[in-house]
Amino acid sequence: MTTVNEDMETQEEKSQLSVPSTSISLTATTSAYQLVSELPTEESQKFDLLSAQVWSDEDNEDILETLSKDEPKDGAPHERPIWANKTEYLLAQVGFSVGLSTIWRFPYLCFHNGGGSFIIIYILMMFLVGIPLLFLEMAAGQRMRQGSIGVWKVISPWIGGVGYTSFMVCVIVGLYYSVLMAWNLFYLVQSFQSPLPWLLCPLSQNSSTDSECSRTNPTTYFWYRKVLKATDEIEVDGKPLLHLSASVLVIWLIICISMIKGPKSTGKMLYISVLLPYIILFSLLIRSLMMKGAYFGLKNLLAAKVPALYSVEVWRRTGNQLFLSLGPGFGSFTAISSYIPRSNNCIIDAYAVAFLNLLASLTTTVNAKKVMDLIIAQVLPPEAYPPDSLYYDPSSIFPKWLNNLPEHIKNRILPNLTECDLSKELNKVMIGPGVVIVTFSDIISLFSGPTFWSIITFLLLVNLGLSTVIGIIQGIITPLQDTFSSLREHSKLLTVGVCVPMFLGSLLFVRPSGSYYVNLLDDYWVSLPLFFIVILETIAMAWIYGARRFLTDLSIMMGRPISPIYRWLWCFLSPFVLLVLFLSTLIHLSVKDITYLAWDSRNSNEVTRIYPSWAKALLIFLVIITVLPVPVYFFYTVIIRVVSPVSMIHNTAIITFQPEAKGDSPKVGPRLQVRQKRQKIIKMDKPKTEGKLSAL
């Protein structure tokens, strides 16, 4: 009888390990600190051998070793590629996080939301919410060795649809984000001439200055009339522009070539696309600090305005910027982390990514602040130097100071000043994704040798966007390879198969009205599904899988203790803050009209227009279609469990860790053991089993 039971258990173990990964998801149903002493000695020895193989740093198999339907049962599983070194992995994480939104949105919000107060709130939320969420996504990918779709199916099949939602968000964002890069690439190509085409108004056929450009400034005219060829309204359509279509094609060719060989080729590209922007940003910072008025501009920027600290709207905007800048919810952090050994310390990685993102944001803000500085006088007497208290409240102190000056000094100052309202000037050039182009165009116009600085600047922007899109596409390719393991054999063909449709879809946004659609998606759509995704991820990990259990898994996996503070942040603070931000954003979009900045060709000026009703309907449709996989997969799981409960029980795995051996016994690393729920199986199959044993 004992022999029969052992044979049956052995067969069950073999069948458990050969379940197709596409047929049903494996669910982790016990904690890492669960006892393993229940297993017989012989089985423990067998699992020791299996665990040593699975947890070896040299062998990078999946955490739940499964086979695809299309893969032969006797075939060896595909080895998962890994990053060549830790540097390339960290560059991939930082490159995805630091994107164009970090460059343009942070300075705009900082100027309009209290300056130093905004920075204080941002840093506080980064420590309490941003970094814990980065740590969660990185740890999940590193722990499960899968992309966004596979990870959340393993955590809990009930919310397995959140991975599909992340996948869809990556697809839509990748479509219009590549167009942002195409704009910058076009500027980069145009920079190889002197003088720069956006510094002077073009001449008409009769050799006079173009009338439309003369009514505005050359930078704005070049942006709307030469680059975008923008229509006056979103309803007016047209064919894709040839010069932007060619730019988009070049962008997708670069992305495809960079990712054609997986992490190996991507890592080499990241040395340029990530390190070069930081070098350029640092150079621009040094050049800006050398300009006159830089010290005053810094004091004005860093001055904290106390009323902003109590403003709910400022906290809402800061929270939105934090999550849109860091990038959780796309599934890219999870996908990138799935190619790193499990012993990697992802806590340090999360802090490094967050701080480098903040550094890039602050550096850009200082550069932009110098350009918008109110003190533009060149040669003034010492008596005209403004008071040190001016930076506390420029809008009120500056007029008083100017009016109290002696008349002869005031007469010398006024010719060097222009009537300027800081908020109005910022509103002219600090709205929408295209702001980064207009702002940097203004910056380089102040430098000596503008052609050189133009090439450097737009090379910076192209590389920033390139590293972000690579992370987004990684969030598409990795889940596809994990879901359909046969695609891993044809990774080159898969990369081309993803990039070609993405290029064709991007052509929708290079039409004359395409920039208005980009604004619609980037300003109003993307934040809602991302908040929805991150809320579900946090709840699933903290309350369904268990925060304490997950931290214990990671402690054993990385071989070091982890602070329990993350458990409280994941369980209570992060879900609360995310839910408040999600609801406030939803209410904000419901109450206020959604607008866009358009070009009025009759007056040669920018005007604010309200999106038509069909654009609002399109926005609602995109939000619904991206979050729809979550309830659909939930009901799918319910139906499967109702129709075939025995099958679900037979295919449920238990993940159990063992600590390292102590004393003189040989050391064995953290081990993964898979066993079935024997008690439930025996109870449900009791009559059948007893009949077979009686016959024997």
Side-chain angles (χ1 to χ4, degrees):
M1 292 290 291
T2 304
T3 304
V4 173
N5 288 334
E6 291 178 353
D7 293 340
M8 292 179 62
E9 291 174 358
T10 303
Q11 292 177 0
E12 290 175 356
E13 292 167 3
K14 291 181 179 179
S15 63
Q16 177 68 33
L17 292 176
S18 61
V19 176
S21 59
T22 54
S23 62
I24 196 158
S25 303
L26 295 176
T27 309
T29 58
T30 79
S31 61
Y33 49 82
Q34 207 166 1
L35 295 177
V36 295
S37 58
E38 302 174 3
L39 295 175
T41 305
E42 295 181 2
E43 293 185 11
S44 299
Q45 294 175 353
K46 294 178 181 178
F47 280 122
D48 287 347
L49 179 59
L50 172 63
S51 303
Q53 295 176 351
V54 173
W55 283 97
S56 174
D57 289 337
E58 297 177 358
D59 188 3
N60 292 279
E61 298 178 358
D62 289 348
I63 215 167
L64 295 176
E65 187 178 2
T66 58
L67 299 176
S68 175
K69 286 182 178 179
D70 301 329
E71 189 178 10
K73 292 184 179 180
D74 56 348
H78 301 293
E79 292 186 0
R80 191 175 191 83
I82 60 173
W83 296 102
N85 51 62
K86 177 66 177 289
T87 302
E88 293 184 2
Y89 159 75
L90 192 59
L91 288 176
Q93 299 282 29
V94 174
F96 167 72
S97 178
V98 181
L100 295 177
S101 62
T102 304
I103 299 298
W104 74 263
R105 191 181 276 118
F106 188 94
Y108 171 75
L109 293 175
C110 184
F111 293 143
H112 285 277
N113 293 276
S117 299
F118 174 85
I119 297 175
I120 293 173
I121 298 173
Y122 186 93
I123 294 176
L124 179 64
M125 296 187 69
M126 183 183 73
F127 275 104
L128 296 180
V129 183
I131 292 178
L133 290 177
L134 290 185
F135 173 40
L136 187 149
E137 289 201 349
M138 291 179 182
Q142 182 176 316
R143 162 75 168 80
M144 304 299 178
R145 305 305 301 276
Q146 296 188 47
S148 58
I149 294 178
V151 162
W152 301 109
K153 284 183 180 180
V154 172
I155 297 299
S156 175
W158 303 105
I159 55 97
V162 71
Y164 294 98
T165 298
S166 296
F167 179 87
M168 296 180 65
V169 170
C170 284
V171 171
I172 298 177
V173 173
L175 291 177
Y176 75 80
Y177 205 94
S178 61
V179 177
L180 303 183
M181 294 176 58
W183 295 344
N184 290 284
L185 180 62
F186 180 75
Y187 266 85
L188 176 61
V189 174
Q190 295 295 312
S191 298
F192 289 91
Q193 53 183 304
S194 182
L196 296 173
W198 57 83
L199 296 183
L200 300 173
C201 286
L203 299 178
S204 59
Q205 295 181 353
N206 56 3
S207 300
S208 61
T209 304
D210 187 280
S211 59
E212 188 176 359
C213 180
S214 61
R215 293 193 298 266
T216 182
N217 61 77
T219 303
T220 304
Y221 173 82
F222 184 82
W223 167 245
Y224 281 104
R225 304 304 291 166
K226 298 298 181 180
V227 179
L228 300 180
K229 297 188 181 297
T231 58
D232 287 6
E233 296 178 348
I234 191 174
E235 291 90 343
V236 181
D237 208 347
K239 297 180 180 180
L241 303 175
L242 181 60
H243 63 282
L244 290 182
S245 299
S247 299
V248 171
L249 176 61
V250 173
I251 292 297
W252 281 110
L253 283 175
I254 296 175
I255 295 172
C256 186
I257 294 173
S258 301
M259 304 186 67
I260 196 73
K261 293 184 179 180
K264 292 183 179 180
S265 59
T266 304
K268 303 301 180 292
M269 182 66 185
L270 292 172
Y271 281 107
I272 299 176
S273 62
V274 178
L275 293 179
L276 182 61
Y278 275 93
I279 297 174
I280 297 175
L281 274 177
F282 183 75
S283 301
L284 290 173
L285 174 63
I286 298 301
R287 183 65 183 87
S288 297
L289 293 177
M290 293 172 61
M291 299 179 70
K292 294 181 180 180
Y295 176 69
F296 177 83
L298 278 177
K299 290 197 299 184
N300 190 14
L301 170 66
L302 299 178
K305 298 175 177 59
V306 177
L309 296 174
Y310 303 101
S311 173
V312 178
E313 183 65 15
V314 172
W315 282 82
R316 183 190 69 82
R317 292 177 179 177
T318 307
N320 287 347
Q321 169 59 21
L322 176 68
F323 295 108
L324 292 177
S325 178
L326 291 179
F330 286 93
S332 297
F333 287 121
T334 303
I336 295 171
S337 298
S338 67
Y339 299 109
I340 196 73
R342 297 186 183 92
S343 59
N344 174 64
N345 190 345
C346 50
I347 301 178
I348 297 179
D349 299 338
Y351 277 91
V353 170
F355 275 105
L356 289 174
N357 185 289
L358 178 62
L359 176 62
S361 300
L362 291 176
T363 303
T364 307
T365 303
V366 172
N367 292 334
K369 178 61 182 175
K370 178 61 193 76
V371 177
M372 306 308 300
D373 196 358
L374 289 175
I375 308 302
I376 59 175
Q378 299 296 322
V379 180
L380 295 175
E383 296 81 3
Y385 190 80
D388 293 336
S389 59
L390 181 61
Y391 70 91
Y392 287 110
D393 191 4
S395 59
S396 61
I397 297 179
F398 181 80
K400 296 179 182 179
W401 165 76
L402 184 63
N403 293 330
N404 292 331
L405 288 174
E407 193 68 25
H408 68 282
I409 296 180
K410 185 188 299 185
N411 293 335
R412 294 187 61 182
I413 293 178
L414 291 177
N416 295 278
L417 298 177
T418 56
E419 185 178 357
C420 179
D421 186 307
L422 182 58
S423 60
K424 292 181 180 179
E425 293 300 318
L426 289 173
N427 280 326
K428 290 181 180 179
V429 297
M430 300 293 285
I431 298 178
V435 63
V436 62
I437 299 177
V438 179
T439 302
F440 275 96
S441 299
D442 289 335
I443 289 177
I444 59 181
S445 65
L446 301 177
F447 293 167
S448 59
T451 300
F452 169 77
W453 287 107
S454 177
I455 296 173
I456 294 297
T457 299
F458 289 107
L459 188 62
L460 155 73
L461 298 178
V462 169
N463 279 277
L464 279 177
L466 180 63
S467 58
T468 300
V469 174
I470 287 177
I472 292 174
I473 301 303
Q474 196 71 59
I476 298 175
I477 293 178
T478 299
L480 289 176
Q481 291 178 330
D482 292 337
T483 305
F484 309 100
S485 60
S486 59
L487 294 178
R488 200 174 294 280
E489 295 180 348
H490 311 285
S491 59
K492 296 181 180 180
L493 185 61
L494 174 62
T495 303
V496 176
V498 169
C499 291
V500 170
M502 293 291 287
F503 160 69
L504 296 177
S506 300
L507 295 179
L508 295 173
F509 300 99
V510 297
R511 297 173 299 168
S513 61
S515 62
Y516 305 144
Y517 290 92
V518 172
N519 292 335
L520 177 67
L521 296 177
D522 195 68
D523 293 341
Y524 301 107
W525 167 77
V526 69
S527 59
L528 288 178
L530 285 179
F531 278 130
F532 180 77
I533 291 169
V534 179
I535 289 173
L536 288 183
E537 288 180 352
T538 307
I539 294 176
M541 186 62 75
W543 294 101
I544 299 179
Y545 188 86
R548 179 184 298 173
R549 168 186 173 187
F550 185 62
L551 286 177
T552 307
D553 291 352
L554 297 180
S555 297
I556 300 174
M557 184 178 70
M558 294 189 293
R560 57 180 61 87
I562 299 176
S563 173
I565 187 65
Y566 295 104
R567 174 192 168 198
W568 301 103
L569 293 176
W570 288 338
C571 289
F572 303 106
L573 184 61
S574 294
F576 173 76
V577 173
L578 290 170
L579 186 61
V580 170
L581 289 174
F582 175 76
L583 293 177
S584 62
T585 303
L586 190 62
I587 294 173
H588 178 77
L589 293 178
S590 303
V591 174
K592 295 186 177 181
D593 293 327
I594 55 175
T595 60
Y596 64 101
L597 199 64
W599 178 253
D600 186 357
S601 58
R602 291 172 296 181
N603 300 321
S604 299
N605 194 17
E606 296 170 317
V607 294
T608 301
R609 303 187 189 276
I610 299 176
Y611 277 105
S613 56
W614 61 265
K616 298 178 182 178
L618 176 63
L619 181 66
I620 296 173
F621 172 77
L622 289 176
V623 171
I624 294 176
I625 202 67
T626 48
V627 303
L628 190 60
V630 175
V632 169
Y633 197 86
F634 175 82
F635 288 112
Y636 166 78
T637 305
V638 172
I639 294 173
I640 291 297
R641 294 206 171 193
V642 171
V643 173
S644 182
V646 177
S647 176
M648 291 296 295
I649 293 174
H650 274 271
N651 291 282
T652 300
I654 294 181
I655 302 176
T656 307
F657 289 89
Q658 288 183 344
E660 293 185 358
K662 297 181 180 180
D664 298 331
S665 58
K667 292 185 178 182
V668 181
R671 297 177 292 181
L672 175 68
Q673 298 186 356
V674 182
R675 63 182 178 89
Q676 295 179 342
K677 294 181 177 179
R678 288 189 176 84
Q679 294 180 354
K680 292 186 178 182
I681 296 173
I682 293 174
K683 184 176 180 180
M684 299 188 67
D685 295 339
K686 186 175 180 181
K688 186 185 299 184
T689 305
E690 289 180 351
K692 291 182 179 179
L693 294 177
S694 299
L696 292 173

